Amino acid sequence: EAADGQLGYTVWETNGGSSRGLTLLAPPDVERLMGAFVEMLRFVEDDEPPLILVGHLDGDVLITEKFLTAYRLKEALEKERPGLRVRILSIDSFGRQRRSDEAVIVLSPHSQSERSLHLRDDKVYLLGRRVHLIIGDGVVKWHHELSHRRADVVMANWIFPFTGDKFSTYAAIEQARDILVPHGMYPLRFWRAWDRDELVEICEAGRSEVGGLIIKPFQGSGGAGVLPILEDSSVPEVVESSLGEFHAKYGHRSTPFPYTVCEKINPHKATWRGHRHNYDIRIYVARQGDLLIPVGCLFRLAPQPDRGTYDKGSLIVNLSGYGGMAIERGLGLIGESLE
């Protein structure tokens, strides 16, 4: 609900190359997303059998989505290059048998990719063999070199360094205010903090102006470090809790700054399992030719009912933010979920 009492929408965040949860969508939407992954092959040079790296979270409960992606890529390569042998291997199997005369699609958890990838002459290598295509922005995000520089490799989406800084998203929406507001899309008030002291100062000053704030660390995911600050909150304590969550997930080598601070919204509620829950709508976007098109929506419900306390469990809807992947809280845009 906007300040003028009108109901509308706001862009809460944008994500880089993430496609997690795609199998929760309607089947036609899944097909469109698979087609977008296959289309990436047209940017891969055909002078040698390609090596494709498909990254996933350690202990990923949605690993079937990565297998589906890998098999669609395998089918497409075999159709485009008759006679080329294409294999799908785990990174452990790839490490034991690395023939260079066949195309290989390697499935790897991010922890192993981080140790096994290296750069040489701006090209990316996995255990000594050149990588031509990377799917899974976590592969790059977790790597100490790739996360800071572009390389000569096809990547599902290079935009994640910008979307990881939520300030950039809010700034873009603000710049397009005159286009979006007539369609019911409202910008948020937002600030950027470059260190802890500035973060505390901004939150102390801003929370009374807008009735509450949300703080978000740089390049975070899964809701780590995303916390609400209300008028009666102890700002230093909330900031310390946020920093603790971030470093617990990413370690102290990664920096959570610059932080983004935005106003707390008053979201519409959905009735789920007999209780009123906050939710967001994730819109998936995929490439089709030279266009970017929306291909499906996913409703993500907060794990705890909204009881007016604005605690994290009732506000932050990330499916992977509370230990594991709560796929039951992700509902694709189909008639059953709308009911």
Side-chain angles (χ1 to χ4, degrees):
E1 184 176 339
D4 58 6
Q6 296 295 313
L7 294 177
Y9 297 90
T10 188
V11 177
W12 189 239
E13 66 174 359
T14 54
N15 289 299
S18 177
S19 59
R20 291 176 59 74
L22 65 90
T23 50
L24 302 175
L25 303 178
D29 297 329
V30 176
E31 289 301 315
R32 293 187 186 97
L33 285 167
M34 289 295 107
F37 283 126
V38 168
E39 192 166 339
M40 295 176 61
L41 294 175
R42 69 185 174 103
F43 299 100
V44 175
E45 299 174 0
D46 60 1
D47 55 341
E48 60 181 333
L51 170 59
I52 299 171
L53 177 61
V54 180
H56 60 85
L57 295 176
D58 292 60
D60 193 353
V61 298
L62 292 178
I63 189 67
T64 53
E65 297 183 347
K66 302 302 182 183
F67 278 111
L68 176 60
T69 303
Y71 275 104
R72 289 300 179 87
L73 291 169
K74 181 178 185 293
E75 291 175 348
L77 275 172
E78 290 172 338
K79 181 178 180 180
E80 291 178 6
R81 306 187 191 185
L84 176 66
R85 186 182 184 189
V86 184
R87 303 178 70 191
I88 299 174
L89 299 172
S90 69
I91 190 169
D92 291 332
S93 297
F94 176 71
R96 292 192 295 269
Q97 46 187 336
R98 298 197 296 272
R99 293 176 53 181
S100 60
D101 61 342
E102 59 187 18
V104 182
I105 302 170
V106 178
L107 291 161
S108 173
H110 297 328
S111 61
Q112 289 185 260
S113 300
E114 182 184 15
R115 297 192 300 269
S116 304
L117 287 172
H118 68 277
L119 269 71
R120 186 172 71 243
D121 298 327
D122 289 330
K123 294 180 173 60
V124 181
Y125 293 85
L126 178 68
L127 298 175
R129 180 170 166 180
R130 184 184 174 190
V131 179
H132 300 81
L133 170 60
I134 295 176
I135 293 177
D137 53 357
V139 174
V140 176
K141 181 177 180 178
W142 286 84
H143 195 270
H144 64 286
E145 288 184 285
L146 288 172
S147 59
H148 296 96
R149 56 187 285 196
R150 286 290 295 266
D152 185 10
V153 63
V154 179
M155 178 68 188
N157 200 333
W158 279 108
I159 200 173
F160 74 91
F162 303 99
T163 58
D165 182 3
K166 305 307 179 187
F167 185 93
S168 300
T169 295
Y170 299 147
I173 299 301
E174 178 61 38
Q175 290 180 15
R177 169 187 287 271
D178 293 343
I179 299 174
L180 298 175
V181 169
H183 297 282
M185 183 72 70
Y186 294 90
L188 292 170
R189 294 190 61 182
F190 59 98
W191 302 262
R192 172 180 272 163
W194 291 94
D195 56 42
R196 183 190 180 282
D197 290 341
E198 187 178 18
L199 178 57
V200 171
E201 180 181 344
I202 287 174
C203 292
E204 293 279 13
R207 61 178 169 174
S208 61
E209 296 180 21
V210 294
L213 303 168
I214 303 291
I215 60 174
K216 303 181 179 186
F218 177 72
Q219 297 284 33
S221 65
V226 180
L227 291 176
I229 292 180
L230 307 178
E231 291 192 39
D232 59 352
S233 299
S234 170
V235 172
E237 289 182 7
V238 176
V239 168
E240 287 304 316
S241 296
S242 174
L243 292 170
E245 284 189 11
F246 180 89
H247 289 306
K249 182 170 184 176
Y250 297 105
H252 288 273
R253 188 174 67 180
S254 300
T255 177
F257 291 98
Y259 259 77
T260 297
V261 181
C262 72
E263 65 176 293
K264 178 182 67 63
I265 62 173
N266 180 26
H268 190 68
K269 311 296 187 292
T271 300
W272 182 59
R273 296 182 175 177
H275 299 282
R276 286 164 58 79
H277 289 251
N278 292 311
Y279 69 96
D280 74 1
I281 304 173
R282 168 180 275 193
I283 301 174
Y284 288 79
V285 178
R287 183 171 191 146
Q288 188 176 79
D290 291 328
L291 298 175
L292 291 176
I293 61 170
V295 295
C297 297
L298 183 72
F299 296 97
R300 301 189 301 173
L301 295 126
Q304 298 177 10
D306 187 300
R307 296 187 171 92
T309 57
Y310 296 105
D311 57 289
K312 179 169 182 172
S314 67
L315 280 179
I316 309 304
V317 302
N318 300 71
L319 303 185
S320 61
Y322 300 91
M325 173 63 69
I327 58 175
E328 72 277 3
R329 292 192 288 106
L331 306 174
L333 182 58
I334 56 177
E336 182 180 352
S337 60
L338 289 174
E339 294 173 1

